[in-house]
Amino acid sequence: KQEVTQIPAALSVPEGENLVLNCSFTDSAIYNLQWFRQDPGKGLTSLLLIQSSQREQTSGRLNASLDKSSGRSTLYIAASQPGDSATYLCAANNFNKFYFGSGTKLNVKP
Amino acid sequence: KAGVTQTPRYLIKTRGQQVTLSCSPISGHRSVSWYQQTPGQGLQFLFEYFSETQRNKGNFPGRFSGRQFSNSRSEMNVSTLELGDSALYLCASSLTGTGTRTDTQYFGPGTRLTVL
C-alpha cells in the first residue's frame, strides 16, 4: 500500500523567504503527483499536478519537482507572502486512488 | 462555472443515528470521490463513483456507502454513527476520474460532521 510522508509537519518563516516542502512516497508506480493547499476549515485547492513522465511543473511562484526513482517530490515557494499561510498536502495517484500525506502547515510571518 | 458544492456544511448527530451527505460536482464532471479528514488519520479515500457506478473503494467499513445519480450528483451515507466518525467529509469531482494521468480533482468545502 502506498504511504505518503510530508516533512516538516509545520514551518514558520518570515515574509520574503524562499522555502521547500518535502513529500516522499513508497510506491513509485504512480500516475501523477499533486500538490494541494488547504485553508482552515475549507476544502482543497489544486496547485500543481506532475505527471509520472514529467520532472517538474511551475505556476507563478510555485515549482514542484518529481523524482520517481527516489520516491520524492518537492514544492518550492519563492518569495513567500503571508497569504501563502495554509496547509500544503501532496497526493500520489496510484491507479484510481489518491494517497495523501498528512500535510505541512506553513505560517509566513509579516 | 460553479464549483463543487456540498450540503449541509455542518451537521451534529448522536451515536447510532445515520446521516446522508450530498455533493454536486462541477458541471460536466462525471467522477465524484469522497474523503474523510480527521486530525489523527489525515485525508483518507472513501470511494469513487463514475457514471453512477462505484469504481473504487477505500478501506472503510460497510457502514459507509454512497451512490451517484444520472446527473452526477452524489450522496454518501453513514449508518449507525460512532464517535470516531466525527470528521470533515470532502468530495471532489473530476472529468473522468482518478485513473487518468492529467485529471485534476476539484474539492468542495466539505461537511463537518460531529457525532455526540
Side-chain angles (χ1 to χ4, degrees), chain B residues 2 17 19-20 25 38-39 55 57 79 88 102:
Chain B
Q17 287 187 310
V19 67
T20 299
T38 60
R55 189 162 67 175
K57 190 176 189 304
S79 62
L88 180 66
T102 57

Side-chain angles (χ1 to χ4, degrees), chain A residues 62-105:
Chain A
L62 306 179
N63 175 278
S65 68
L66 174 65
D67 184 343
K68 278 178 54 179
S69 62
S70 66
R72 291 182 183 178
S73 177
T74 61
L75 178 66
Y76 175 82
I77 303 177
S80 59
Q81 303 170 357
D84 295 331
S85 298
T87 296
Y88 291 81
L89 298 109
C90 67
N93 180 352
N94 280 83
F95 304 103
N96 302 332
K97 287 187 181 182
F98 273 83
Y99 294 90
F100 282 83
S102 53
T104 294
K105 187 173 183 179

